Amino acid sequence: MEDISAKNPRHIAIVMDGNGRWAKDKKKPRVWGHKAGVTAARKVIRAAAEANIEVLSLFGFSSENWRRPKKEVDHIFSLFFDALSNEVEELHHNNIQVRIIGSRSRFDLPLIEKIEATENLTRKNTGLVLAIAIDYGGQWDICEGIKSLVEDIHSGKLAADDIKPTLFSHYLSLGDLPDPDLFIRPSGEQRISNFFIWQLAYAELYFPNVYWPDFNEKEFAKALDFFTSRQRRFGFTGEQISKSGEGYA
Ligand code: FPP
């Protein structure tokens, strides 16, 4: 049997939610909360690297977030640009590989160039893979995957009969990496909100009751404790797993 003991997750996916409410509680503008959100992201990236997590995916901006007031959207994008500019050297120095996932069709040229430079610089790094989802949606991802798959069928590279979940996974964003095994959404909301809808099939779901700007190293450690306390069954019975003698927690 595959080793499914509850050790640390290999891939953690986080919806960074609650920046606006955090700011409102403090009687500050929403953008204040987003700025604090960048600081929280920095703490969590460091904690994930120290815990030897293989992949950390952060949901920064969804396909639906374009519906927000233009001023807020512009501010969020300028924060992304500045964060990439300011953090890239340190991320690289720490052997972190950065990937930006999502549609780039609405990005301006300086941002596209910044993303490409960051990805190229860090491409060969062998430590934590940091995936930041910007203008990403799980349904968009699946549609893009289907488009590539259909092209491969048309070109004769693939037969329709070859399509299986494991094969299709490779057509999705981060398809070369393990799927998230821990999903975290702070702020009290309990929704996936069109993040990795295919990739989260077997993830443990964790909803801590803090806003994202307050999610720090301590909260990260609590999330790991939550994960290691779960019995992950992958379709087996609890008895099968207990009897396997591996001490699945
Ligand atoms: C979610 O809180 C935050 C966003 C949609 C904005 C983007 C995230 C950041 C700026 C954090 C930094 C990330 C990186 C990786 C640089 P919300 O606005 O939905 O909060 P609310 O639900 O309380 O209104």
Side-chain angles (χ1 to χ4, degrees), residues 38-184:
V38 176
T39 306
R42 199 179 292 124
K43 286 181 193 165
V44 169
I45 294 165
R46 189 172 304 130
E50 278 170 11
N52 291 320
I53 303 301
E54 291 172 50
V55 190
L56 175 68
S57 297
L58 301 177
F59 204 5
F61 193 88
S62 74
S63 314
E64 292 74 31
N65 283 147
W66 294 106
R67 296 173 186 154
R68 294 187 176 205
K70 185 176 180 307
K71 215 171 143 199
E72 181 173 342
V73 171
D74 288 348
H75 185 87
I76 290 173
F77 272 88
S78 95
L79 277 178
F80 288 147
F81 187 88
D82 291 349
L84 286 175
S85 310
N86 300 334
E87 309 294 338
V88 64
E89 284 307 329
E90 198 184 331
L91 291 167
H92 184 46
H93 181 73
N94 284 290
N95 196 25
I96 293 173
Q97 185 190 121
V98 183
R99 300 193 197 180
I100 307 298
I101 58 169
S103 167
R104 296 184 190 178
S105 62
R106 293 173 73 168
F107 295 178
D108 62 20
L109 190 60
L111 180 61
I112 293 173
E113 286 175 350
K114 180 64 68 189
I115 289 171
E116 287 174 355
T118 306
E119 289 183 331
N120 288 336
L121 178 72
T122 64
R123 191 174 304 282
K124 295 203 173 109
N125 289 346
T126 54
L128 174 74
V129 175
L130 170 64
I132 305 176
I134 309 179
D135 196 4
Y136 176 89
Q139 293 172 339
W140 166 87
D141 200 2
I142 291 173
C143 288
E144 291 299 302
I146 292 172
K147 282 190 220 164
S148 316
L149 186 125
V150 168
E151 274 171 29
D152 283 351
I153 290 180
H154 281 162
S155 69
K157 222 170 123 186
L158 202 69
D161 229 25
D162 296 333
I163 302 172
K164 293 182 180 60
T166 44
L167 177 126
F168 182 61
S169 294
H170 292 286
Y171 284 85
L172 298 171
S173 297
L174 310 184
D176 57 324
L177 298 171
D179 282 340
D181 27 27
L182 175 61
F183 169 86
I184 304 174

